[in-house]
Amino acid sequence: MQIAKDTAVWLHYTLRNDAGEVLDESEKDEPLNYIHGQGDIVPGLEKALTGKGAGAKLKVSVEPDEGYGERSDERVQTVDRNAFENETEIVPGMQFQAQGPEGLSIVTVVQVVGDHVTIDANHPLAGQRLHFEIEVVNVRKASDEELEHGHVHGEGGHHHH
Ligand code: ZN
């Protein structure tokens, strides 16, 4: 079975930046799983995986426009500290999830001056070229229920039912 739209895919990955530093990787006994063709992984990687089967190993370099996008200064803004009502201490480097016009995003605190907090809503990997090393573990057709939920069920999947 080859990776195509609406297949459930399990893969191991290592993600490095241009400097060769590991930014992210899958757990040894727990490959990442996702449903292909619904934008769960960055477009450049989704394209490269299309047509690959279980056992395939590949190295893929993805430019920012096919990855997490370019950085935008418009996503950096200064807000009042009281916008963070649930946080007792706000320090540079803190990250949290925020609901924005383009969906859920990761926001990073860059600077705190008095009651003013500067936050950066660019994806932490925006503007970076991404180097993936991939091993495809398993591919099968996604069930109707999985397609409806938008995620993989069963072994290694979400257990939220
Ligand atoms: Zn589900």
Side-chain angles (χ1 to χ4, degrees):
M1 176 121 212
Q2 290 179 329
I3 297 176
K5 189 173 171 4
D6 298 343
T7 54
V9 180
W10 284 258
L11 54 82
H12 278 298
Y13 70 95
T14 305
L15 170 60
R16 292 185 175 85
N17 59 15
D18 279 343
E21 296 161 337
V22 174
L23 302 175
D24 194 14
E25 58 189 333
S26 50
E27 304 284 335
K28 263 196 167 50
D29 302 320
E30 205 178 324
L32 170 81
N33 64 63
Y34 76 98
I35 295 175
H36 195 77
Q38 58 177 26
D40 281 359
I41 60 175
V42 296
L45 186 56
E46 200 156 70
K47 269 187 205 171
L49 283 166
T50 301
K52 300 289 188 293
K57 291 181 181 179
L58 56 155
K59 285 185 179 177
V60 188
S61 291
V62 175
E63 298 295 326
D65 65 333
E66 296 249 279
Y68 291 102
E70 301 287 355
R71 286 187 57 81
S72 161
D73 288 343
E74 287 169 21
R75 297 202 188 97
V76 179
Q77 51 177 306
T78 300
V79 298
D80 283 340
R81 181 187 281 270
N82 61 22
F84 306 86
E85 44 193 27
N86 296 326
E87 304 291 340
T88 51
E89 194 185 9
I90 299 159
V91 292
M94 264 179 68
Q95 291 187 327
F96 49 93
Q97 291 194 323
Q99 189 67 47
E102 296 162 36
L104 209 56
S105 63
I106 300 170
V107 174
T108 307
V109 175
V110 224
Q111 197 182 37
V112 182
V113 178
D115 279 342
H116 293 135
V117 179
T118 303
I119 54 173
D120 183 351
N122 285 290
H123 189 282
L125 295 176
Q128 292 208 46
R129 192 180 292 130
L130 310 169
H131 304 277
F132 291 96
E133 221 170 299
I134 305 283
E135 182 179 355
V136 179
V137 177
N138 189 27
V139 185
R140 67 157 164 77
K141 204 172 158 8
S143 70
D144 289 344
E145 193 188 39
E146 286 172 327
L147 291 174
E148 198 177 303
H149 288 205
H151 56 234
V152 177
H153 289 161
E155 202 185 340
H158 293 251
H159 298 280
H160 66 129
H161 299 288

